[in-house]
Amino acid sequence: MNRLFLYTSYNRLGRDADETDAEEIINMAGKASLADQQKQVQENIHTQLKTLCKGMDEILLPDTTSINESPESTLQRNTALSRSGLGLAVGRMSPPNKRPECIFSTDVPDTKPLKRTELSQRLKNYMGYTLELKPSQILHQEAGQGLFIDGQADVGAVIALYPGIIYSPAHYRYIPGYPRVDIHNPYLITRYDGTVINAQPWGPGGETREVWDVSSVTRRSGSTPIMQGNDKGPDRIWKMLSKPLQVTRVVSGGEVLERRNPLALAHFANHPAKGTVPNVMLCPYDFPLSEKDMRTYIPNVAFGSGEEVKMKRFGGFWFKSWGSSNGEADDVCVMKTLVLVATRALSDEEVLLNYRLSNSKRRPLWYAPVDEEEDRRRWS
């Protein structure tokens, strides 16, 4: 979180930031509490995504003019808007909106009939970069398609969004293939809070804006459990506790999502080869559902009714927490997502993410740990 605070705060100041600004941010990072750093990172990420969504609207909506600005003019405009300083420095942290209604209309608005490739190019003109898929430069058979940045992005920039269906710990048993969910699905990722995102149904995106319905996507993905081992002792107990649940009366309604979103490709980022280092890092982002104008560009839908169930973890299992919450309640209805943030300036290169695979299980032959100590902290 400290690194994300440094990177995204520096990025928010824009390319006019100098050494003095960097020193001020470092000084702030040393004084700010973890909670304050988390709030600032959320605000920094949200500001960037708001700019992305505004650009997508200007490109796609019929009643606006397409944008073909240079990256320099876009950066100058963003800098002018944000140069007033960081929220922690001047006390301008925006107060959270009160909990809104989390149900949205599923009417699909008209958009310009742009192909995804054309939309991607126009977004590059607006932001200075876009993403593309092509054969990975990593030399192992399982590398497959790689994620590449087309253009230039500064340190701290949001490079990609992780798309797909979001499962809270309360809904793990609905993940297709449960409990061996990862055997045939390499596109699962977990946040520190236990939230799992399944990007497999999203794939490479689509060519239109459409209603994305969780129940239909789940049925297409399949939900047949994969069980192994005998039925004696611990294996029998595990199978009883791990019995998958049927998808009935727990899925939320459909959401209108822009399947052409050129940045909704974070799940294609590869792990760096041995001797190389990652150039992006994961950042948890809690998208406030009160931001209805942005919703269609956030490539996720939540599995479940939308109500958060508090869970506690015991070993490999999550259980409902029946204790008192001390009267505390979330004021903002959010969707728990992930984005990739640049850890240095990027230019026309492959996007590489440290997978930080668990060291308690057999790792693939191609996996070369970036930092064993970091992996141990992640899985301790």
Side-chain angles (χ1 to χ4, degrees):
M1 187 53 61
N2 185 258
R3 292 174 63 198
L4 287 168
F5 176 87
L6 294 171
Y7 294 150
T8 62
S9 296
Y10 188 76
N11 179 275
R12 188 166 180 177
L13 293 181
R15 290 185 176 178
D16 291 336
D18 54 27
E19 188 174 338
T20 302
D21 293 320
E23 291 176 352
E24 180 183 355
I25 293 171
I26 293 172
N27 184 51
M28 289 167 55
K31 295 179 179 179
S33 66
L34 175 61
D36 283 340
Q37 291 189 47
Q38 289 173 326
K39 290 178 183 178
Q40 187 65 55
V41 168
Q42 290 294 308
E43 185 173 296
N44 295 342
I45 297 297
H46 187 70
T47 298
Q48 289 193 49
L49 291 183
K50 207 159 190 175
T51 299
L52 165 68
C53 295
K54 180 177 181 292
M56 293 282 278
D57 273 347
E58 293 179 349
I59 294 168
L60 284 171
L61 297 187
D63 57 346
T64 57
T65 303
S66 294
I67 293 295
N68 286 285
E69 300 181 48
S70 67
E72 290 77 13
S73 62
T74 303
L75 286 166
Q76 290 173 0
R77 184 183 66 253
N78 294 343
T79 299
L81 291 173
S82 61
R83 191 65 188 179
S84 57
L86 300 173
L88 288 176
V90 295
R92 292 174 61 89
M93 292 294 289
S94 55
N97 296 318
K98 292 301 179 183
R99 187 178 184 87
E101 178 60 48
C102 299
I103 299 176
F104 299 95
S105 170
T106 55
D107 293 334
V108 181
D110 291 333
T111 59
K112 294 177 182 177
L114 298 179
K115 293 291 185 181
R116 186 174 45 176
T117 53
E118 185 178 358
L119 170 59
S120 183
Q121 182 59 47
R122 294 196 186 189
L123 185 67
K124 178 184 176 182
N125 294 338
Y126 182 79
M127 295 186 62
Y129 62 91
T130 187
L131 296 175
E132 60 180 346
L133 298 176
K134 55 186 181 181
S136 175
Q137 295 176 346
I138 298 176
L139 301 179
H140 66 72
Q141 292 182 348
E142 296 183 47
Q145 289 284 85
L147 181 64
F148 290 78
I149 182 171
D150 177 15
Q152 290 80 40
D154 293 330
V155 61
V158 173
I159 300 301
L161 294 81
Y162 205 96
I165 302 174
I166 299 170
Y167 294 86
S168 72
H171 297 127
Y172 279 178
R173 291 166 69 185
Y174 294 98
I175 301 177
Y178 182 87
R180 307 293 297 278
V181 296
D182 60 336
I183 289 182
H184 300 293
N185 186 357
Y187 301 113
L188 291 167
I189 197 166
T190 309
R191 293 187 5 154
Y192 275 107
D193 60 7
T195 301
V196 172
I197 304 178
N198 178 14
Q200 190 174 55
W202 185 268
E207 291 289 348
T208 184
R209 179 175 295 194
E210 62 187 41
V211 176
W212 223 52
D213 181 77
V214 175
S215 59
S216 61
V217 170
T218 303
R219 286 194 297 270
R220 290 198 302 269
S221 301
S223 57
T224 303
I226 301 173
M227 297 291 186
Q228 294 181 351
N230 55 47
D231 290 330
K232 297 180 180 180
D235 287 328
R236 184 179 180 185
I237 296 174
W238 169 255
K239 287 186 177 183
M240 288 191 299
L241 291 174
S242 302
K243 184 179 179 180
L245 301 179
Q246 295 298 316
V247 183
T248 56
R249 299 189 302 278
V250 292
V251 294
S252 58
E255 301 276 9
V256 177
L257 301 184
E258 182 51 74
R259 297 269 285 148
R260 293 170 289 183
N261 188 342
L263 300 192
L265 295 172
H267 53 307
F268 285 101
N270 273 324
H271 182 80
K274 186 175 183 179
T276 59
V277 295
N279 50 25
V280 296
M281 63 184 298
L282 286 170
C283 177
Y285 169 60
D286 295 343
F287 170 68
L289 289 168
S290 56
E291 295 277 11
K292 296 184 180 181
D293 291 341
M294 298 172 61
R295 177 65 186 98
T296 192
Y297 302 116
I298 307 301
N300 302 94
V301 289
F303 186 98
S305 62
E307 295 182 1
E308 188 69 21
V309 179
K310 292 189 179 298
M311 306 287 288
K312 285 187 177 181
R313 185 171 183 171
F314 295 91
F317 294 96
W318 289 80
F319 296 92
K320 288 183 181 179
S321 174
W322 300 103
S324 171
S325 61
N326 298 321
E328 295 181 0
D330 293 333
D331 291 327
V332 181
C333 189
V334 299
M335 178 170 288
K336 296 182 176 182
T337 67
L338 285 167
V339 299
L340 302 186
V341 171
T343 56
R344 60 171 174 80
L346 303 180
S347 177
D348 298 322
E349 59 190 281
E350 185 166 3
V351 176
L352 300 173
L353 171 69
N354 181 6
Y355 284 7
R356 295 189 299 182
L357 298 183
S358 170
N359 51 17
S360 65
K361 298 179 181 179
R362 189 171 68 87
R363 293 164 167 172
L365 294 177
W366 52 260
Y367 183 79
V370 174
D371 186 333
E372 286 279 14
E373 178 59 31
E374 185 181 20
D375 291 353
R376 279 193 290 270
R377 289 197 306 269
R378 170 66 178 88
W379 295 103
S380 63

